[in-house]
Amino acid sequence: MVKISMRSYVNGCDWVPKNGIELEEAAEYAVRSSKNALVVAGPGAGKTELLAQKTDFLFQTNLSEFPRKILAISFKKDAADNLRERIKKRYGNDYANRIVSLTFDSFSKRILDQFRLALPKNLIPKKDYLVEDNNRIEEVFGQCIEGFKDLKKWQKNNVVEQHLYTVPNKAIWNILLRGDMNGQACLTFRMISLLAKKIIQKNPKIKNAFQVTYSHIFLDEFQDTTGMQYDLVKSCFLGGKSVVIAVGDNKQRIMEWAGAKKTIFSDFQEDFNADKFSLIMNHRSAPRLVELQKMMYESLGEKELNATPSKKWSKAEGEIKLFLSEDELSEAEKVVNDIVYKIDSDVSADEICILVKQLPENYSSEIIGLLKQKGIRARIENLYQNSLKESIVILLLSIFKVSLQEQASEDWDYLESFYFKNFELDDSQNAKNFDLVQKSIKEIVSYCTDAISNLSDESDLRELVKETINKLQLKVILKNYPEYVQGNYINSVLEDFIKLFWEEYRMVFDFKKAIRNFQGEDVIPIMTIHKSKGLEYEAIYLVGLEDSAWWNFKNKPEAERSAFFVAISRAKQYLSFSYCSHRESLKRFNNPSGSQSKSQVNEFFELLTAPNIAEIVE
């Protein structure tokens, strides 16, 4: 980790990329640019690395004038956290403390919670409002809309959309903002975003305060930004003093169903008068896999320069396979035999990922069972991914690992950072308050060490978590992690963690191993393509290359092609696809025969069966 004084600056001409990184020409221009910028960066292009180098350039040269900060906003929590963590590991807390990483949802919520009293009186929500509590929302709609309770789920969604956003229903908004005798106030994130935008638009001083605080705004995974989120960004920063850098890849736009704005790149360029930089280097995938990605460019409407694989690969590297099977058992045998071969060839289990378009439990049960017979564990990752991203879970795991003398430096760093913030100590006080922080850590670690050694059932684990939270103090946790302030969210997060972790523990009755398993070490993850966004693996297996899995291809071919592109671009060296002509597990989904077809997604097969692309395994 490089420790750099924030008051020691260099001339921009003398700055060089850190950690021996060689930036391609367009990336270096983007780093050095002082204007608003749109960076179009394909899979493996090093988007996070570019933003990390940009951060170093801005702080080293003081173009982000000390003590102003950089605000990094992304669609997903893991993307928002990734940049700050990389900067913290590389440059230390001096840099990391000047990076504020948020999702769009947490950004809008922060504005509302801090400035809600700046809203017109009729729009001020109760301070203790719930967030996205569907039961409460349906209860309110049931009170106000006759027959609402009898509607089907999709009909209810349409009614909620109509009365909250299309033509706002004043009576429903009033109850959700302030609550009533039947329950608490409750807001959706879209309501929060609308209220945050109203705050900025009605209060120029608040808008100016944001622009004074943040010298630069990084918008990551920009292709997934919704119109409402983009409106909030414009309200805060358009025409102001902050420089805005948007980074994304229009080929990976898979959030249209969630409202992703199709024209977001061109709108941003026009609105912010932004320079455009296109990165062509693919640092992730082997050359044969990059060629497959390039073959999809035309169907994705791609007009950028062709991607170029890294020079670390030889030209022939990369493996693509297409498995064709009659039934799920035959499919599982082919996939599992291939996985076993790769593991025997020194590819670790957690560097292998099984992707599905939807319903992972229906496409993976035979594979999971057969892998288990081979002594290889695989699991559906959805709940684990959600839990592992939670700040309170990261804190608990750090405490447990230190308690078990699994003293990885990042766990010590995480605990020290938590306690220094708890005691409101800045870096200049670290030396004289070091003993105070160490004493606090040792006290909680001592309790956890004893409690872990006496763990016998789930109630003991629940008590361990409860008492650890008590020792940390809930008010301190909420101060450090404001995302848990409203409602009972922290309790639901902790309960999910306890249930998931206990399942891991009862399989091995070894706390250290349970932590490693919980974190996914030596476990093959199974997830949907949407959940894989931003991740990368040595080997990817895309299971379910059939019309029933890609059922929306006829209606939304662009979105489905983008999803397919995201899937194939997660792989570093090995990429496999599986088609099964009969799926017993899908009989209950309006398909009594279980037979599968590939007519709608035939263009994917044409792509894979083109000369010299995939090895066909029947």
Side-chain angles (χ1 to χ4, degrees), residues 411-450:
D411 295 311
W412 275 108
D413 289 346
Y414 198 83
L415 292 185
E416 287 181 353
S417 175
F418 177 85
Y419 276 101
F420 274 116
K421 191 172 181 181
N422 174 13
F423 298 136
E424 297 186 342
L425 307 175
D426 61 33
D427 286 344
S428 65
Q429 296 172 303
N430 281 358
K432 71 177 184 179
N433 290 295
F434 182 77
D435 288 343
L436 175 62
V437 169
Q438 294 298 305
K439 181 182 177 183
S440 299
I441 294 175
K442 286 176 182 177
E443 285 176 357
I444 198 166
V445 161
S446 176
Y447 162 74
C448 289
T449 301
D450 291 340

Side-chain angles (χ1 to χ4, degrees), residues 16 25 40 42 127 187 327 447 459 540 554 569 603 606:
V16 293
E25 187 176 28
V40 179
K127 187 176 182 180
L187 305 179
D327 54 48
Y447 162 74
S459 63
I540 289 288
K554 187 175 181 180
S569 60
E603 68 177 67
E606 290 179 353

